[in-house]
Amino acid sequence: MQNTQPRPKDLQAGKGRVLSVLGERATLKLTGDESDGSCATVEVSTPPQVGPPLHVHQREDEVLYVLEGMYEIRVGGRVVPAPPGTFAFLPRDIPHTYTNVGYRTGKLLVTIAPAGCERFLEEISLCAADVSLDRERLCTIARKYGIDIL
């Protein structure tokens, strides 16, 4: 944490830094640098039948809110159908993932607390642009950020 007073921030629709992450479009709305490390918020656009691999965060909790589309959220052995308006709290240390099971691109609002995971997204985005990102490289990068790909 920077130990400074965070400044208010607002963004209009469609604004924010856009990253390409494992087939999804991640738009950074709030970063740890802007929130003094307390949280980060990312708007994620997910094509049909796409989602991250099953994984576990050691440091962060996540909150998912479905804005558009039809998702399936897997958390702790449960499978939750997730149409628009679905809210899901995904605590650290519990395996989870989501998949857009609809026929159109879906959209999620993801809040991560504390912040830091957005740096993982940034690194993955840079790697994917330079070289093919195989599973071994993905797992190595994820471990740097306290994430285990299962």
Side-chain angles (χ1 to χ4, degrees):
M1 288 196 225
Q2 297 173 352
N3 210 12
T4 60
Q5 178 66 34
R7 298 175 59 166
K9 180 177 182 179
D10 57 87
L11 290 176
Q12 297 299 314
K15 300 296 183 185
R17 183 168 166 224
V18 177
L19 307 173
S20 178
V21 180
L22 302 176
E24 297 180 289
R25 177 184 163 139
T27 304
L28 301 179
K29 298 295 188 177
L30 180 70
T31 66
D33 291 339
E34 297 164 322
S35 70
D36 193 26
S38 66
C39 64
T41 301
V42 182
E43 184 180 89
V44 179
S45 294
T46 313
Q49 308 309 310
V50 172
L54 186 67
H55 62 281
V56 176
H57 296 264
Q58 297 171 5
R59 303 176 190 155
E60 306 91 7
D61 298 322
E62 283 184 287
V63 172
L64 304 182
Y65 187 79
V66 179
L67 298 170
E68 298 174 10
M70 182 64 188
Y71 285 83
E72 185 176 87
I73 299 169
R74 295 178 182 267
V75 58
R78 292 181 53 225
V79 177
V80 179
T86 300
F87 171 93
F89 173 61
L90 311 175
R92 69 190 78 191
D93 297 325
I94 297 179
H96 63 274
T97 188
Y98 58 82
T99 304
N100 175 357
V101 295
Y103 299 103
R104 296 187 181 133
T105 297
K107 195 177 287 185
L108 297 169
L109 191 63
V110 181
T111 300
I112 306 148
C117 188
E118 73 276 17
R119 291 193 172 116
F120 166 72
L121 301 177
E122 290 170 333
E123 186 167 344
I124 292 297
S125 179
L126 291 173
C127 288
D130 294 338
V131 296
S132 63
L133 186 63
D134 63 25
R135 183 173 176 80
E136 183 178 330
R137 185 164 165 85
L138 173 63
C139 291
T140 299
I141 294 168
R143 279 191 293 275
K144 285 175 36 180
Y145 297 93
I147 302 168
D148 294 318
I149 306 295
L150 305 177

